[in-house]
Amino acid sequence: MNPLLEVKNLCVDFHTEESSVRAVNGISFNIPKGKTVGLVGESGSGKSVTSLCTMGLLASPPGKISAGEILFEGKDLLKLPESEMRKIRGNRISMIFQEPMTSLNPVFTVGYQIVEALRLHQKMNKSQAWKRAAELLNEVGIPNPTERVKSYPHEMSGGQRQRVMIAMAIACEPDLLIADEPTTALDVTIQKQILELLQNLQNQYQMSMLFITHDLGVIGDIADQVIVMYRGNLVEQGSATELFQNPQHPYTKGLLACRPSLDKNFHRLATISDFMNTDGTEKKFDESTLGQKDERTLTDKDQVLLEIKDIKKHYPVRSGWFGQNKEWVKAVDGVSLKVHKGRTLGLVGESGCGKTTLGRTILRLIEPTAGQVLYDGKDVTALDRSAMRAMRRKMQIIFQDPYASLNPRMSVGAAIMEPMAIHNLGANKKDRIDKAAQLMERVGLETKFLNRYPHEFSGGQRQRICIARALAVEPEFIICDESVSALDVSIQAQILNLLLDLQQDMGLTYIFISHDLAVVKFISDELAVMNQGQIVEMAKASEIYRSPQNEYTKKLLDSIPKGIV
C-alpha cells in the first residue's frame, strides 16, 4: 500500500546577512494511511521546519527549500501553486500548533473561527456551519458547546483552547493531521485527555497523524512509528516498541535516559552529553555515575526555615446588575506548610489549583487575605515596605517563562547586576561586573555573553540567566515556579542538575512548583499535593509515589505517560 505522505531528501536552509544555516539536512520518511508517526528531537532539530514545509508555510525569506520532495498521494506539494495549496491546507492536511493563544484570533469568537474554515472548504451555509462548529466542540469534549461557540479565546483555559485548535483542525475531516507539540506545557491530566482525544478522533476519521514532540514518553503512548531528528539530521527511525526497547543511536539513548523516572531514585539525571561527544560519536555511559538519592529522614533537629500558617488568598468576583452580587474565588484556602533548611519541598497540582498564587503570596508579591508566613521565625506578612525589600534579598523566585522575566532592552549582564545595585552589593560597578561574570560561569554560560540581549539566547540559556539573576543577591530560599515545564527534556535535565548542585554548594532551600510529577519526585525531599486551593496530601516524595492516599493524587499519577515510567 502506498504511503499517504512521502518526504524525500528534504533540505532546508536559512539565510541571513550574517550566516547561512542548514536546518534540515536530506531527511526521508513516510507516513502510512491511518497511522501515527512520531517526530522527536530537541528544539532546533528541524522538526517544526519539516512540518511547515509540508503545510507550505515556511517563511521565505529567510527559509529556502534547497532540495527534496514532499509527495502527498503522489503529488509534490512543493511544486503546487499557492492557489492549489490553499485547497489542501486546512482541508486535507491540517495542523495543530504548539501555542493556541498565538494561533487563535483574540477578536473573534472560537465558533466564528471554526465556521470560517467550514464555509471556505466545505461550502456550508451559515446555519449549517454554526451547527457543525457546536458539534465539533462537543466532539473534543468542551462542555455546553452551543454556548461556548460564542466564547472568545481568553475566556477559555489552556486545555480548552487546545481542544478548540483540535476542533478547527478536524473540522474538514483531513486525511493528515500534523500536531506540533500540542501537549508541551499542559498538566499531565489535561495532556492525557488530549492524547486520548487525538487517538479517538484518529480512529473516528481514519486520519494519518504526524505527532511532533521533544518528549519520548508521550510518543510511547501515541505513535506507531518514531523518527528521531538531531541537528537537522534523521538519526534513527523504527517502530515505537523497537525504539524504546533497543535504541541504536546515542542521541536516542540520551533522550530516553534524561527524563526523570518514577521507579529509580538517582541523585542526578543523565544528559545527552553522557551518551555522545560533541562530534556525534558515542560515549560509554555508566549508570552508577548518577549516584543514589539520599532519603534522609527529617528529625526535630532539622531547622524549619519557612513556616506557612493558614494562608488564604481570596479574590472578589462581582456579578449581576452594576456588580451588586459579590462572591469569592478561594485561590488559596487555609494552607499550612513547613519547609526545612537546605531541603526541597515539591508543590504539585493541576493549573488553577493555587500553586503559583501560594508561591507569590509567600513572597508578598501578592498580599494574603489571611494567615502568616514565618521566615526564620520572623513574620513576613507584618513587615513594612523597607523591611520587606531587605527580606527579599533572602527570598527569591525563578519564574516559568524566562523570556518574560528578562527586560528585552537590557543586556543579560545588566539584568544580573540590577538586583546587586538595588541591595547595595559590591563596592562598585567593577565588583558587580566581576560577580556577574562568576555567576554566568556558575550556571554554565560563557562570560563573553554578558553584553548580549535575551533574544540572542535559547530557552534553556535564558533560564540559566534567570537563575544567575536570582543568585546575584546571595539568597537562602528560592521558589522555582514551573521553571522547567516548557524546556526540552535534555535541557530540563541540565537545569535540574544545576539546581541540585547549587543547593549542595550554597545550602539553598527550595519550594519547587510544577505540574510534572516525575520531575517533582526527582528533585524533592517532601511533596505537597494541592487541589482547589488546599493541600490534600503531604509526605516524603518517595512515599507518595509508592503509596498515594488521596484520590486526586492517584489521578495525577495515573495520568503520567507510561512511556516515561
Side-chain angles (χ1 to χ4, degrees), residues 52 232 369 401 468-469 472:
L52 291 172
T369 304
D401 184 351
R469 192 174 194 267

Side-chain angles (χ1 to χ4, degrees), residues 259-328:
R259 190 72 170 81
S261 169
L262 293 181
D263 59 357
K264 294 179 181 178
N265 215 21
F266 291 130
H267 174 65
R268 297 180 64 79
L269 289 173
T271 61
I272 300 296
S273 60
D274 291 320
F275 289 84
M276 63 188 295
N277 298 303
T278 52
D279 62 358
T281 56
E282 187 164 5
K283 187 190 292 186
K284 190 172 182 181
F285 173 67
D286 182 2
E287 201 174 69
S288 65
T289 59
L290 301 177
Q292 288 295 310
K293 188 175 180 180
D294 175 25
E295 289 195 22
R296 182 167 62 88
T297 303
L298 291 168
T299 67
D300 293 338
K301 294 180 180 179
D302 286 289
Q303 180 187 345
V304 175
L305 182 67
L306 182 80
E307 185 174 2
I308 304 160
K309 292 185 174 181
D310 198 30
I311 276 288
K312 297 178 182 178
K313 181 59 187 175
H314 299 172
Y315 291 97
V317 178
R318 294 187 180 274
S319 60
W321 288 101
F322 307 108
Q324 76 272 27
N325 299 328
K326 190 174 183 181
E327 298 175 352
W328 294 90

